[in-house]
Amino acid sequence: MPFKAPRGTVDIMPVEQGYWRYVEGVAAQVCRLYGYQRIDTPIFEETSLFARSVGESTDIVEKEMYSFQDRGGGGLTLRPEGTAAICRAYLEHGMHNLPQPVRLHYLGPIFRYERPQAGRYRQHQQLGCEAIGEQDAAVDVEIVNLAWRFLHRLGLGNLVLYLNSVGCPRCRPGYLVVLKDHYEPHLASLCPECRTRFHRNPLRLLDCKKDSCQPVADGAPPMLDYLCDSCAPHFQVVREGLEMLGIPFQSNHRLVRGLDYYTKTVFEIQPGGGGAQSTIAGGGRYDGLIEELGGRPTPGVGFATGIERIILNLKSQGVALPNPHASPIFVAYLGEAARRDALKLLEDLRQGGIAAVSAFGDRSLKAQLRQANALGVSHTLILGEEELKTGTVLLRTMAQGKQERVPREAVLSVAREGSLPLRGD
Ligand code: HAM
């Protein structure tokens, strides 16, 4: 094979598209219900935008960005996440003049040079939602609720919501001193990365997955005990809001997220029993980010979810798409006259909004049915001499091999009444 898709990328083949359209459709519905309007930003941005927002000492900025210079010499980066660009757009378009919070959603490709494995790609698609301009903890509740409801509306179950607060610039520095005091006696036993984190980004010590570092991280003092008089009540309101909405959560003092812009609330949703690599959705509050990017102090909170991981979970949980027959109808024919009529039938179906295909060529009926099976279609319409004479078609249900005769004029209405599958989109 001379060429393959680049490592860590995948082709989304036609057979997979039903899942994608389904997830995108539910995303659009749920975002509309909660008032999150769609925004699309470029796939690349100035490199400095990400260094400023995601953080110089994060894995993303240090090791994972696809950065390049364009012909004008400018430093650009394929976006490694969505939030920074949304905040840039909020500032650029003066969205602080709109009623706050401004609620936005986006869906598109994200690029990270990571070690590929199941559920981890170098190009993946994220759905993200951001609510910018309101510091009320009720917005945190809304965002967590939106993420939670979206995943459940898709049909996913057995999910666990982890919740934490990472404080703010007032209380976090004091906590980091306590955290480093806890870690210092154990430095020699830590993994090399944690020894670097100890100096460069101590909060990320809590996120380490290496066996050697688990006991020290588990025993670390929780940030929640050190929250200031702004962050502590904020976290309390988030907890109460989630309880009121009946959303179960687990406090996890080791949840710190891999991006530096978070303040106060952080959360992740994982499948029950899954490891950290299986995180389906994550997010939190980022009250300092807009100011960091040159705007007036403006609070924000949001989340993002990886569509590939959602689809992996839909499959592993055996969630059936609402229209399992999201395949076109196959039109087969026997003889030259029927072949001409098949063209007409195909077009009638398509004009009626029903996807339809045919094999054409000089194939036997048996070969056409074999092809219909190979395409995974659920129903085939068969035209032969008898059908032409009587103005009917044979409707074959492929799974059972059952055939019934339907008047030609009734084909469309039979299809519309749902006896024949309509295409999923
Ligand atoms: P994140 O946790 O880095 O957050 O990514 C969000 C989601 O994208 C993850 O939970 C996961 O489902 C998916 N994801 C991340 N990396 C990969 C990958 N390499 N392959 C497949 N899926 C992946 C953010 O990016 C933040 N911008 C979220 C946010 C929005 N926070 C506030 N607003």
Side-chain angles (χ1 to χ4, degrees), residues 60 81-83 106 112 114 119-121 124 126 129-130 257 259 261-262 279-284 286 302-306 308-309:
I60 292 180
E81 65 104 43
T83 310
Y106 50 93
R112 293 181 187 175
E114 292 195 88
R120 199 210 271 158
Y121 309 96
H124 71 277
Q126 278 187 11
C129 293
E130 315 287 351
R257 310 272 301 134
L259 305 100
Y261 49 59
Y262 290 112
T279 300
I280 305 180
Y286 45 86
F303 83 96
T305 175
E308 289 83 355
R309 289 192 192 174

Side-chain angles (χ1 to χ4, degrees), residues 142-222:
E142 176 176 286
I143 279 285
V144 178
N145 184 31
L146 171 52
W148 185 253
R149 302 285 179 217
F150 166 61
L151 297 174
H152 282 87
R153 181 166 289 218
L154 284 168
L156 291 175
N158 191 23
L159 301 176
V160 185
L161 166 64
Y162 295 103
L163 193 66
N164 196 19
S165 172
V166 291
C168 71
R170 254 176 70 210
C171 49
R172 197 182 306 152
Y175 171 68
L176 292 182
V177 172
V178 177
L179 185 67
K180 286 179 87 170
D181 284 350
H182 167 77
Y183 266 86
E184 192 144 32
H186 307 284
L187 267 181
S189 69
L190 298 179
C191 72
E193 255 183 286
C194 275
R195 268 178 263 153
T196 312
R197 286 181 184 135
F198 180 85
H199 299 290
R200 296 205 57 191
N201 198 345
L203 197 63
R204 296 271 297 143
L205 285 164
L206 294 169
D207 200 25
C208 184
K209 306 291 178 309
K210 300 260 165 48
D211 287 346
S212 57
C213 305
Q214 297 313 300
V216 196
D218 283 338

Side-chain angles (χ1 to χ4, degrees), residues 92-362:
E92 189 169 339
H93 301 282
M95 286 193 244
H96 60 274
N97 292 318
L98 300 173
Q100 310 288 300
V102 175
R103 294 178 168 88
L104 301 168
H105 86 271
Y106 50 93
L107 204 157
I110 300 289
F111 305 86
R112 293 181 187 175
Y113 187 79
E114 292 195 88
R115 201 160 45 80
Q117 52 179 255
R120 199 210 271 158
Y121 309 96
R122 290 183 174 171
Q123 175 178 335
H124 71 277
Q125 299 262 345
Q126 278 187 11
L127 163 74
C129 293
E130 315 287 351
I132 304 179
E134 177 53 62
Q135 60 185 4
D136 190 334
V139 191
D140 308 39
V141 176
E142 176 176 286
I143 279 285
V144 178
N145 184 31
L146 171 52
W148 185 253
R149 302 285 179 217
F150 166 61
L151 297 174
H152 282 87
R153 181 166 289 218
L154 284 168
L156 291 175
N158 191 23
L159 301 176
V160 185
L161 166 64
Y162 295 103
L163 193 66
N164 196 19
S165 172
V166 291
C168 71
R170 254 176 70 210
C171 49
R172 197 182 306 152
Y175 171 68
L176 292 182
V177 172
V178 177
L179 185 67
K180 286 179 87 170
D181 284 350
H182 167 77
Y183 266 86
E184 192 144 32
H186 307 284
L187 267 181
S189 69
L190 298 179
C191 72
E193 255 183 286
C194 275
R195 268 178 263 153
T196 312
R197 286 181 184 135
F198 180 85
H199 299 290
R200 296 205 57 191
N201 198 345
L203 197 63
R204 296 271 297 143
L205 285 164
L206 294 169
D207 200 25
C208 184
K209 306 291 178 309
K210 300 260 165 48
D211 287 346
S212 57
C213 305
Q214 297 313 300
V216 196
D218 283 338
M223 173 83 220
L224 294 186
D225 291 350
Y226 296 85
L227 295 179
C228 63
D229 56 6
S230 160
C231 293
H234 187 99
F235 193 61
Q236 188 54 25
V237 174
V238 175
R239 296 171 64 109
E240 285 168 9
L242 293 175
E243 275 160 16
M244 195 196 64
L245 292 173
I247 299 177
F249 60 86
Q250 291 183 22
S251 252
N252 179 354
H253 81 279
R254 289 189 50 191
L255 177 63
V256 292
R257 310 272 301 134
L259 305 100
D260 280 354
Y261 49 59
Y262 290 112
T263 53
K264 297 193 163 98
T265 316
V266 288
F267 72 98
E268 281 185 359
I269 300 176
Q270 297 182 10
Q277 205 41 252
S278 58
T279 300
I280 305 180
R285 182 163 273 284
Y286 45 86
D287 287 350
L289 179 51
I290 299 240
E291 194 178 1
E292 188 62 40
L293 298 180
R296 292 191 304 216
T298 309
V301 56
F303 83 96
T305 175
I307 310 292
E308 289 83 355
R309 289 192 192 174
I310 288 179
I311 292 176
L312 283 172
N313 281 278
L314 286 172
K315 288 182 180 171
S316 68
Q317 294 193 9
V319 177
L321 300 185
N323 179 358
H325 308 294
S327 61
I329 289 174
F330 195 90
V331 174
Y333 52 84
L334 200 63
E336 191 48 38
R339 169 202 177 93
R340 260 178 280 130
D341 207 45
L343 265 182
K344 175 93 178 57
L345 177 58
L346 274 169
E347 205 43 39
D348 286 350
L349 288 165
R350 291 166 181 157
Q351 291 304 319
I354 296 156
V357 295
S358 187
F360 298 123
D362 221 2

